[in-house]
Amino acid sequence: MNDIDPKKGRDFIREVIERDRAEGKHEGRVHTRFPPEPNGYLHVGHAKAICTNFGIADEYKGKVNLRFDDTNPVKEETEFVDAIKSDIRWLGFKWDNELYASDYFEQMYVHAERLVRQGDAYVCDLTPEQVREYRGTLTEPGRESPFRNRTIEENLELLRGMRNGDFPEGSRTLRARIDMASPNINMRDPAIYRILHREHHRTGSEWCIYPMYDYAHCLEDSIERITHSLCSLEFEDHRPLYDWFLARLGVFHPQQIEFARLNMTYTVLSKRFLRGLVENGVVSGWDDPRMPTLRGMRRRGIPPEAVRQFCDRIGLAKRDSMVDIALLEHIVRETLNSTAPRVMAVLNPIRLLVENYPAGQVEMFDYQINPEDESAGTRSIPFCRELFIEREDFMETPPPKFFRLSPGAEVRLRYAYLVKATGVEKNAKGEVTTVRCTYDPESRGGNSPDGRRVKATLHWVSASHSIPAEARLYDRLFRCENPLGEDGELVDHLNPESLVTLADCRVESHMASARPEQNFQFERMGYFCVDADSGPDRMVFNRTIPLRDTWDRIKRKQ
């Protein structure tokens, strides 16, 4: 449920912004930011934050900064910076300023010395294990560090020594002096700086101390004069610390507002678990089409406008909830149904020989490129004596209510003719290799001249005019709605059929010129896109999603 005022039709964040503007706060400005850490690839959860920050800035004719929170050189790389920018552009957004936390390292350090001079920070020699021990618990207060009462002069000398590289990595930290008895553990003398003798992707070896996120984040917002700092609900308990730093330094004070992050069924959005899937070879990489990363979704063929619409539909809430992945799938189908060209493709082919069709003759049949878009026009497909149909569309000994092709049964070949199966050819293993049939010359276009009823319509391609292709049928990576168990660990419920590869498909010949990421509807089979693995001799198609939609059924149950 979204926190929207039914009278205004506004979510709680926009209510705050509109109140601020009405009161003249920040001179009516709206300036947001999207601050990813460049230590990995963006996923669909980040898309919600992107759409929120960029969307609100656009709606109020404000500005939005893309700011890379590069305060941890251990995991951050330029590769991730470039990937994040590419993903944001793919979603359809443009930022006003490209900035980095490392742009402000000197300013942050100057502010740190000021906190020391004010008696608001001190250098601590406790080890990380000791810090955790001294911190206390949710029910017990913490204990003060034995180094908490060093003099201002001693703290300044030690801090400068930290900056100069005089001490080993991890041996000292700069901590805020707040309240070790605070019921909010985040306020129990949190770390401001730590020592890391690591190369930074932008500053190289210039620095060997790096600011902690809670300290850097609020200063970055302040320096950039962000008006509304929108972040996920997990930072709600960090807001008092955000406010404390800015108040103690007496600098420009943005307002932090938290909203619920995206949780989605059958999906894991934790970087730690996603990294494990990649490193353990469960998926082929961060752009594997089964991954919820924007790179994976893009490779799978999910349109960026569908992602934006999905984020808009789920809205902004103050409470965590679980979104059914079927909603995203429904929106993807809606989008592709209106935009994807139709194509004839046979994924698991069996030969169909039309015995009474003239050898060497070729007819062309027109079909609409997209019935939802009249302006898309038509395309022609060749029909000849030898065709391919889906193997599952023929059964030599069919069960009851099997309405497709079988001996003596008549079906419609889409756009073409009515055909009736007359026999089969088999290989040495007894497997059917060819289905023989006859066609009714008077049924051109698939209509019976005498009004007889035909219950099935099959898709097909010409054997001599189609080209070989590979199809990768992707499905949900997990079989259970919540892959994370009650203990927060990944449950071993991987879907063994999350990827099925069909190597001997046949598609219309014009598909040889299709471009990577181009979307199509393979009639009767689902929505597919061209994979980057495609080459001049073999096209590769990824199934984006099947045609069947379960969202309406789910809504009826709710």
Side-chain angles (χ1 to χ4, degrees), residues 131-308:
V131 169
R132 284 192 289 271
E133 179 186 343
Y134 275 63
R135 184 176 290 129
T137 67
L138 293 173
T139 57
E140 298 178 355
R143 291 179 290 149
E144 292 185 354
S145 165
F147 308 100
R148 197 174 195 266
N149 296 314
R150 281 171 163 158
T151 65
I152 290 175
E153 291 74 18
E154 184 180 4
N155 282 318
L156 281 174
E157 181 180 353
L158 290 172
L159 177 58
R160 289 165 182 168
M162 288 170 60
R163 174 174 182 170
N164 292 334
D166 296 342
F167 309 119
E169 184 170 306
S171 61
R172 286 190 162 99
T173 57
L174 179 69
R175 298 176 66 183
R177 183 185 282 108
I178 307 180
D179 181 5
M180 290 303 294
S182 172
N184 186 339
I185 290 181
N186 296 299
M187 302 296 284
R188 296 180 187 177
D189 291 12
I192 298 176
Y193 272 95
R194 77 283 210 195
I195 302 172
L196 289 173
H197 294 284
R198 306 294 180 91
E199 288 281 322
H200 188 276
H201 73 103
R202 294 185 76 234
T203 61
S205 57
E206 180 181 351
W207 292 86
C208 60
I209 60 171
Y210 292 92
M212 303 300 290
Y213 178 82
D214 281 329
Y215 175 69
H217 179 220
C218 60
L219 289 180
E220 293 156 19
D221 285 349
S222 177
I223 293 168
E224 295 173 13
R225 299 187 67 80
I226 299 301
T227 59
H228 301 86
S229 180
L230 312 178
C231 55
S232 55
L233 202 59
E234 64 194 282
F235 292 103
E236 184 174 28
D237 290 340
H238 296 248
R239 193 195 324 146
L241 183 55
Y242 181 102
D243 293 336
W244 186 87
F245 279 125
L246 297 180
R248 297 305 298 168
L249 290 168
V251 294
F252 179 80
H253 199 142
Q255 181 175 0
Q256 178 175 302
I257 309 174
E258 307 85 15
F259 59 90
R261 66 192 305 174
L262 173 63
N263 298 297
M264 195 161 61
T265 58
Y266 298 97
T267 308
V268 173
L269 296 178
S270 161
K271 280 186 180 179
R272 176 167 70 94
F273 291 123
L274 294 178
R275 185 177 294 108
L277 294 173
V278 174
E279 292 176 351
N280 294 325
V282 176
V283 295
S284 61
W286 289 95
D287 66 343
D288 188 298
R290 293 167 291 181
M291 290 282 276
T293 57
L294 296 186
R295 307 211 121 196
M297 298 173 76
R298 180 176 181 176
R299 188 173 181 184
R300 186 160 176 167
I302 293 177
E305 56 267 36
V307 179
R308 295 196 304 269

Side-chain angles (χ1 to χ4, degrees), residues 344-353 386-394 425 427 431-435 459-464 466-471 473 501-508 522 524-525 538:
M344 300 278 256
V346 176
L347 304 187
N348 190 10
I350 187 172
R351 185 167 170 262
L352 182 69
L353 180 63
E386 292 189 27
L387 310 170
F388 286 120
I389 62 171
E390 292 290 343
R391 185 170 293 274
E392 66 179 22
D393 283 341
F394 173 80
E425 296 176 8
N427 59 20
E431 300 167 332
V432 176
T433 58
T434 300
V435 178
H459 65 282
W460 51 274
V461 292
S462 162
S464 57
S466 58
I467 61 172
E470 177 181 307
L473 308 185
T501 301
L502 302 177
D504 298 315
C505 308
R506 306 289 297 193
V507 299
E508 292 184 58
F522 287 0
R524 296 180 66 223
M525 306 309 293
R538 190 172 194 81

